[in-house]
């Protein structure tokens, strides 16, 4: 979704803003813009449709814009088509207010009408222009200064926003405010930064403030002041970002996605090591005591995209090990179906970014109903991390490619640990089983590395299907959950239509889509379901399908049925998804590369979906 950056300090702002926007490219965007104010108090706004390169060309890599204070934006269109006119920054007619915005203003039509009655005119189709002009309106009408003008606007608008604003009268200042959209503020000795996410400022500072919901801040070179909605100044603690800068670079790989696929062994072991101490799982640091866990009689998991698929896998594992009922829901559905939430339940929100609007809303829904919440989050200090009662941090480090890989793998680990701990605390597994499961988990990083060694074969096989129109993934039980993830990876980055089916469901419709040469990928890692899925593969083969089997080492008989096989090392079937996902990620990657697509930034998609 949209990305915001801002800079005020001694350097030229434009190159810093462009660099920050480049690091936010992964969020997804279709146009971009900058506003920079020079020493003579002139503000210049430059915008361009398309990739950042267009904006860089227009501004000669920023050198054409002079000034030490500025704001920048990458826009992912919601209101109004992607165009230069709709791109941010947006301005009031006399350039009194210039602003960038991430989020959605739900009542912008109403605000627009009010402003039109007050002789404002509008040049774009965006909701942002309404917010800019409303700030201008209050600022001038009441002559009340920035704090009250912004606060009045915040009270008047409905929806979500992170905004960065420059006022004509206030050189050397950037004003920001937020509600439900991400924003961090970084400070160094002589400069201050604002951004939608950490990678944008990591090259400049690691000292950040997290601005809370319905709060404002004034940024000056090297200093920042925070205010609540009443205009009272509030104190904030400075936090340090632990991620190293290299983590946000490609490190010799052609794409972030491939680099992140290779970082999975580390993401898995770092996440395990953070919570396994002396052979036991310790969630005290996560705020999840044994007493709390013992009270849990029902689990709800709410998540979106790949995180939802982690929830699907976790459902099988929690129910199998801990015998506690689990319901997994798409967060976007959960929030609108008036779920029956009881106090002995636990609502788990899984989210890489910790900012996905629907997942955050699920946490809030649970809290309103007095139900304890647990966030499984990769970004420290994100909204879900701050609002959930307990938080397990996945240790994947910054993930840049839009299609998640290492964060997904780290989320699986967090959920395995949760399931084992819950089962052990409830007496559903004994110490021997507990220790055995942890010992097997400790082997996963090296087994993932082993799967990565097979990547050339996967590349070779994938190349044969780069012109495919449809790909089907079939599996049962946890294999079905991994099929969902494999299919999502395939479609999101290669734009090939793909679907995942519970293998037993094929005969209820989908089999009619199978034609001569259709690629069907069967996942068979669960021993008790192996024969069943194999029979389903035979059924599609006899209708002309070309078959790939993904199964565990030892199941060599599969080669009698399928045309191409990928083996993963043997592991406890409960953990097979951690290994099976890797070849499927690689297939999506190679398919995308083979088709000449933008692997890291697929069209129309955003890394962090901060609007509904
Ligand atoms: C987007 C990303 C997916 C991700 C999903 C949920 O669609 O492209 O990779 O799984 O959002 O994001 P979250 O940050 O909540 O895990």
């Amino acid at each position: 979704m949209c990305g915001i950056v801002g800079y005020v300090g001694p350097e030229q702002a434009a190159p810093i803003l462009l660099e920050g926007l480049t690091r936010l490219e992964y969020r997804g965007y279709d146009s971009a813009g900058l506003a920079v104010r020079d020493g003579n108090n002139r503000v210049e706004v430059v915008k361009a449709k398309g990739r950042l390169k267009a904006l860089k060309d227009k501004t000669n890599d920023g050198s054409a814009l002079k000034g030490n204070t500025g704001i920048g934006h990458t826009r992912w269109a919601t209101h109004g088509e992607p165009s230069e006119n709709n791109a941010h920054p947006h301005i009031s007619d006399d350039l009194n207010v210039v602003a960038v915005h991430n989020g959605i203003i739900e009542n912008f039509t109403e605000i627009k009408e009010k402003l039109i009655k007050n002789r404002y005119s509008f040049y774009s189709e965006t909701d942002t222009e309404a917010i800019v002009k409303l700030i201008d309106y209050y600022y001038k009408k009441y002559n009340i200064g920035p704090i009250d003008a912004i606060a009045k606007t915040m009270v008047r608008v409905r929806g979500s926003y992170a905004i960065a604003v420059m006022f004509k009268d206030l050189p050397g200042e950037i004003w920001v405010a937020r509600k439900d959209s991400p924003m961090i503020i970084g400070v160094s000795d002589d400069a201050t930064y604002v951004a939608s996410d950490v990678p944008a400022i990591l090259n400049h500072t690691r000292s950040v403030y997290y601005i809370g919901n319905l709060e404002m801040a004034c940024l000056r070179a090297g200093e920042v002041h925070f205010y609540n909605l009443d205009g009272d100044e509030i104190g904030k603690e400075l936090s340090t970002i632990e991620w190293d800068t290299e983590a946000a670079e490609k490190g010799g790989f052609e794409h972030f996605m491939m680099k992140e696929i290779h970082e999975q062994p580390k993401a898995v072991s770092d996440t395990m090591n953070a919570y396994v101490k002396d052979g036991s799982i310790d969630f005290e640091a996560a705020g999840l005591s044994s007493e709390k866990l013992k009270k849990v009689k029902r689990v709800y998991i709410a998540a979106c995209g790949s995180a939802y698929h982690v929830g699907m896998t976790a459902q099988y594992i929690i129910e199998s090990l801990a015998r506690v009922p689990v319901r997994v829901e798409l967060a976007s559905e959960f929030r609108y179906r008036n779920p029956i939430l009881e106090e002995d339940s636990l609502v788990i929100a899984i989210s890489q970014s910790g900012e996905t609007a629907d997942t955050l809303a699920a946490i809030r829904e649970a809290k309103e109903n007095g139900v304890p919440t647990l966030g499984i989050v990769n970004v420290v200090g994100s909204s879900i991390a701050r609002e959930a009662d307990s938080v397990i941090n996945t240790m994947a480090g910054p993930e840049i490619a839009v299609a998640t890989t290492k964060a997904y793998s780290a989320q699986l680990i967090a959920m395995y640990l949760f399931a084992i701990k819950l089962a052990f605390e409830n007496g559903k597994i004994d110490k021997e089983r507990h220790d055995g499961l942890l010992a097997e988990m400790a082997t996963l990083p090296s087994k993932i590395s082993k799967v990565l060694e097979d990547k050339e074969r996967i590349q070779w096989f994938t190349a044969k299907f780069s012109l495919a129109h449809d790909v089907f993934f079939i599996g049962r039980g946890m294999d079905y959950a991994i099929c969902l993830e494999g299919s999502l990876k395939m479609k999101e980055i290669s734009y090939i239509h793909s679907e995942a089916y519970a293998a037993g469901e094929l005969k209820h419709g989908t089999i009619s889509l199978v034609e001569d040469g259709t690629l069907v990928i069967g996942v068979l890692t669960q021993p008790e379901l192996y024969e069943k899925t194999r029979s389903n593969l035979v059924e599609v083969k006899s209708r002309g399908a070309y078959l790939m089997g993904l199964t565990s080492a030892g199941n060599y008989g599969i080669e009698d049925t399928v045309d191409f096989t990928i083996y993963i090392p043997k592991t406890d079937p409960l953990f097979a998804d951690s290994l099976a996902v890797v070849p499927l990620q690689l297939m999506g990657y190679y398919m995308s590369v083979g088709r000449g697509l933008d692997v890291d930034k697929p069209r129309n998609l955003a890394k962090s979906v901060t609007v509904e």
Side-chain angles (χ1 to χ4, degrees), residues 527-546:
E528 75 281 14
L529 297 169
Y530 175 85
E531 283 305 339
K532 302 270 176 216
T533 305
R534 193 157 90 124
S535 303
N536 298 129
L537 285 171
V538 173
E539 286 159 9
V540 287
K541 187 174 185 160
S542 54
R543 280 144 184 102
Y546 192 91

Side-chain angles (χ1 to χ4, degrees), residues 26 302-309 350-357 359-360 376 378-379 384 399 401-405 407-408 411 485 488-489 492 602 605-609:
Y26 71 89
C304 301
S306 298
Y308 169 74
H309 299 154
I350 308 177
S351 176
Q352 187 284 128
S353 61
E355 300 292 351
T356 301
T359 314
L360 179 59
I376 311 284
N378 196 42
V379 178
I384 293 175
E399 192 178 62
V402 165
T404 181
T405 52
Y408 168 92
Q411 287 163 353
E485 179 59 8
L488 180 62
K489 284 282 120 358
E492 65 184 339
L605 295 179
K607 178 81 181 153
S608 170
V609 180

Side-chain angles (χ1 to χ4, degrees), residues 258-272 405-413 416 440-455 458 482 566-571 575-586:
M258 194 47 131
K259 173 179 174 249
E260 289 161 4
I261 287 174
H262 281 79
E263 285 172 345
Q264 292 182 107
K266 183 168 176 344
V268 163
S269 60
D270 286 356
T271 305
M272 251 195 102
T405 52
K406 62 174 179 170
Y408 168 92
S409 286
Q411 287 163 353
L412 278 180
I413 297 300
Y416 297 165
E440 183 52 35
M441 277 183 73
T443 69
L444 290 175
S446 63
K447 288 177 181 167
I448 293 173
S449 301
K450 184 99 193 115
V451 179
L452 286 168
E453 286 171 16
D454 215 13
K455 68 180 179 195
I458 295 170
I482 205 66
I566 293 172
Y567 294 103
I568 54 168
K570 275 193 178 145
T571 183
F575 306 141
D577 280 5
S578 283
L579 307 182
V581 74
V582 180
L584 301 183
Q585 294 166 342
L586 288 167

Side-chain angles (χ1 to χ4, degrees), residues 288-342:
L288 194 59
S289 63
S290 301
E291 289 64 44
K292 273 192 192 170
L293 272 176
K294 280 182 186 145
K295 289 188 194 141
V296 176
K297 299 287 172 261
R298 186 176 305 275
V299 172
Y300 290 89
I301 301 177
C304 301
S306 298
Y308 169 74
H309 299 154
V310 170
M312 290 282 288
T313 300
Q315 175 185 30
Y316 291 107
I317 300 175
I318 297 169
E319 290 193 340
S320 153
L321 283 179
R323 308 304 295 157
V324 169
V326 182
R327 186 165 172 153
V328 194
E329 297 219 31
L330 292 164
S332 52
E333 294 292 318
F334 183 82
R335 67 189 295 189
Y336 292 119
R337 69 168 189 84
N338 195 10
I340 303 162
L341 294 169
E342 316 224 329

Side-chain angles (χ1 to χ4, degrees), residues 335-572:
R335 67 189 295 189
Y336 292 119
R337 69 168 189 84
N338 195 10
I340 303 162
L341 294 169
E342 316 224 329
E343 278 169 24
D344 58 2
S345 308
L346 175 70
V347 172
I348 304 181
I350 308 177
S351 176
Q352 187 284 128
S353 61
E355 300 292 351
T356 301
D358 288 317
T359 314
L360 179 59
I363 287 278
R364 290 180 179 166
E365 172 88 25
K367 290 184 84 168
E368 272 165 28
N369 284 277
V371 175
T373 53
L374 166 66
I376 311 284
V377 172
N378 196 42
V379 178
V380 176
S382 57
S383 299
I384 293 175
R386 279 180 285 154
E387 294 192 25
D389 301 317
S390 321
V391 180
I392 299 179
N393 290 117
T394 49
M395 301 293 177
E399 192 178 62
I400 308 295
V402 165
T404 181
T405 52
K406 62 174 179 170
Y408 168 92
S409 286
Q411 287 163 353
L412 278 180
I413 297 300
M415 292 314 294
Y416 297 165
L417 293 175
F418 174 82
I420 296 168
K421 177 87 172 160
L422 186 66
F424 189 60
E425 295 295 346
N426 287 337
K428 293 287 191 279
I429 56 170
D430 60 15
K431 181 87 172 84
E432 194 184 340
R433 176 82 169 127
H434 168 275
D435 292 354
L437 287 167
L438 285 188
E440 183 52 35
M441 277 183 73
T443 69
L444 290 175
S446 63
K447 288 177 181 167
I448 293 173
S449 301
K450 184 99 193 115
V451 179
L452 286 168
E453 286 171 16
D454 215 13
K455 68 180 179 195
E456 272 81 23
R457 270 184 81 239
I458 295 170
Q459 181 175 20
W460 169 83
F461 176 74
T462 309
K464 301 204 313 180
F465 286 91
S466 61
L467 297 178
H469 290 291
D470 308 284
V471 181
F472 295 101
F473 293 76
I474 63 169
R476 290 168 182 254
M478 281 207 298
D479 288 337
Y480 171 49
I482 205 66
C483 283
L484 288 167
E485 179 59 8
S487 170
L488 180 62
K489 284 282 120 358
M490 182 65 75
K491 74 182 89 167
E492 65 184 339
I493 53 175
S494 75
Y495 313 155
I496 293 176
H497 166 247
S498 79
E499 301 210 33
Y501 284 96
E505 193 61 17
L506 269 182
K507 290 199 278 292
H508 298 289
T510 317
I511 202 161
S512 66
L513 298 173
V514 173
E515 295 173 350
D516 250 0
T518 304
L519 177 59
V520 177
I521 298 172
V523 181
L524 314 91
T525 69
Q526 302 298 303
E528 75 281 14
L529 297 169
Y530 175 85
E531 283 305 339
K532 302 270 176 216
T533 305
R534 193 157 90 124
S535 303
N536 298 129
L537 285 171
V538 173
E539 286 159 9
V540 287
K541 187 174 185 160
S542 54
R543 280 144 184 102
Y546 192 91
L547 297 185
M548 182 187 119
L550 173 55
T551 189
S552 306
N555 293 335
Y556 302 118
I558 194 70
E559 291 182 21
D560 297 338
T561 305
V562 305
D563 302 290
F564 179 75
T565 315
I566 293 172
Y567 294 103
I568 54 168
K570 275 193 178 145
T571 183
D572 188 299

